[in-house]
Amino acid sequence: MLKLDFHPAGRHFLQIPGPSPVPDRILRAMSYPTIDHRGPEFGELGLKVLEGIKKIFKTQQPVVIYPASGTGAWEAALSNTLSPGDNVLMFETGHFATLWKKMAESLGLKPEFLGLPGIEGWRRGVQPQMIEERLRADTQHAIRAVCVVHNETSTGVTSDIAAVRRAIDAAGHPALLLVDTISGLACADYRHDEWGVDVTVSGSQKGLMLPPGISFNAISPKAFAASKEARLPRSFWDWTDIVEMNKTGYWPYTPNTNLLYGLNEALEMILGEGLDNVFARHERLAEAARRAVRAWGLEIQCVDPAVYSPVLTGVMMPEGIDADAVRKIIYERFDMSLGTGLGKMKGRMFRIGHLGDCNDLTLLATLAGCEMGLRLAGVPLEESGLPAAMAWLSQPTKASGMKAAA
Ligand SMILES: Cc1ncc(COP(=O)(O)O)c(C=O)c1O
């Protein structure tokens, strides 16, 4: 039986790497009455959020908003730009890259999965030079698209998308660049236009601090042109009518009105704080988390500091410890949810989310919950991680989001 009436004291710590906690301000905005999606007020809201979201993607180009989870926006990116049997080059960064590849297969594409041996790709992210070599070898330009995950949520690795762009250009290859930044957007720097990304896929329930339910495609002119020739079947996902109607702030179907109220509020919050401050806040909290993990004497899943994720930290368990048993103890004793190990990492790691509406004390409480749970599970720790995290967070610099000293 579902225990939906279960309500322990205090608030639940939702420290999975998305959905992230939804701030009260956004919940309140979402509770406004639903309005006529063809009426005049809606058009104003539509235009405002469609314009505002471009700033988050750093693009001047159209961003389509779907009433769907991120998986829908993945399908939209592929089905609008590609044709049955097209070759696509994907990189194995983790579970989500693997799922996107499976989707490509089921849509009738021919994905080629580049990767490092074993779980190395799951610990180091995209290797742009491998993409460059593969594209150089494709002298007939049979590969139509390169698809990569920016922030691999299953591992805690944030790949260098600008370097992937450079690799494609260095190979002189015309393939489209499709990027999933479902969990990276509004947490880590992302530049759709400057990095020459053709389709960027994202979702609502991570850095944007919204509930799950809307997702995005940012579309380059090259991708839009490709959609005119692309023959994969699509109807609901088709960009053409949506982009046309979006010019007036409306959609060809019933959009997710209350989530768009929430998006409007989220944009005010994020742009009010300033994107660079938002990124710096995430970096700072991520560094505190890593310092705690190192003090515990545990291994961080990502082994290349250049691609540490500001969104989440993957914590590897010593041999013989089931990460899910540790998570269960933490959930039951301290009412905190942590991310499970996915795919190849099942049972071997847990993931600490430190994204979105998270601050110094949220993170410290999260780390305390992890530490107590690890001890209860009998995981040998070298020392407490909290002093290391606190020392980092209490350095005399003004943290973003802090109130100015009186
Ligand atoms: C990197 C990444 N890609 C794709 C997805 C799938 O998105 P959704 O679960 O919203 O359909 C997720 C979900 O966590 C993700 O983190």
Side-chain angles (χ1 to χ4, degrees), residues 129-295:
Q129 79 288 356
M130 287 174 68
I131 292 182
E132 184 179 331
E133 278 161 28
R134 182 63 191 90
L135 292 179
R136 278 188 193 281
D138 179 35
T139 49
Q140 300 301 308
H141 295 170
I143 295 170
R144 307 303 299 236
V146 174
C147 304
V148 289
V149 175
H150 175 222
N151 186 75
E152 181 47 86
T153 327
S154 62
T155 62
V157 176
T158 308
S159 291
D160 184 347
I161 300 304
V164 176
R165 174 78 264 164
R166 287 195 297 274
I168 298 172
D169 292 348
H173 201 288
L176 294 166
L177 174 57
L178 274 46
V179 178
D180 165 348
T181 189
I182 286 179
S183 60
L185 193 77
C187 302
D189 191 15
Y190 191 84
R191 307 172 187 203
H192 176 84
D193 286 359
E194 192 184 316
W195 295 345
V197 180
D198 291 301
V199 187
T200 301
V201 177
S202 195
S204 55
Q205 72 272 26
K206 315 270 186 179
L208 290 175
M209 307 176 288
L210 296 167
I214 50 175
S215 54
F216 309 89
N217 276 181
I219 308 163
S220 77
K222 184 174 162 187
F224 206 70
S227 74
K228 304 292 168 212
E229 312 294 326
R231 286 177 290 99
L232 274 183
R234 61 185 183 275
S235 168
F236 177 75
W237 303 118
D238 199 287
W239 291 334
T240 317
D241 289 353
I242 306 173
V243 169
E244 192 51 37
M245 273 198 82
N246 277 177
K247 288 180 183 158
T248 53
Y250 296 93
W251 271 259
Y253 45 75
T254 314
N256 206 327
T257 311
N258 292 55
L259 271 165
L260 296 180
Y261 290 149
L263 175 59
N264 184 44
E265 198 69 19
L267 292 172
E268 299 242 327
M269 289 174 76
I270 293 167
L271 298 172
E273 183 175 348
L275 270 177
D276 288 342
N277 292 331
V278 170
F279 302 149
R281 173 164 55 78
H282 280 81
E283 290 288 356
R284 190 168 158 277
L285 295 177
E287 176 61 26
R290 291 191 295 267
R291 285 177 182 235
V293 177
R294 284 194 206 103

Side-chain angles (χ1 to χ4, degrees), residues 287-289 291-292 295 363-364 367 384-394:
E287 176 61 26
R291 285 177 182 235
L363 182 74
L364 286 172
L367 295 172
S384 170
L386 289 175
M390 285 195 290
W392 171 253
L393 291 176
S394 56

Side-chain angles (χ1 to χ4, degrees), residues 107-121:
L107 289 174
L109 299 169
K110 288 198 195 119
E112 178 180 335
F113 216 19
L114 278 185
L116 294 170
I119 59 158
E120 277 306 284

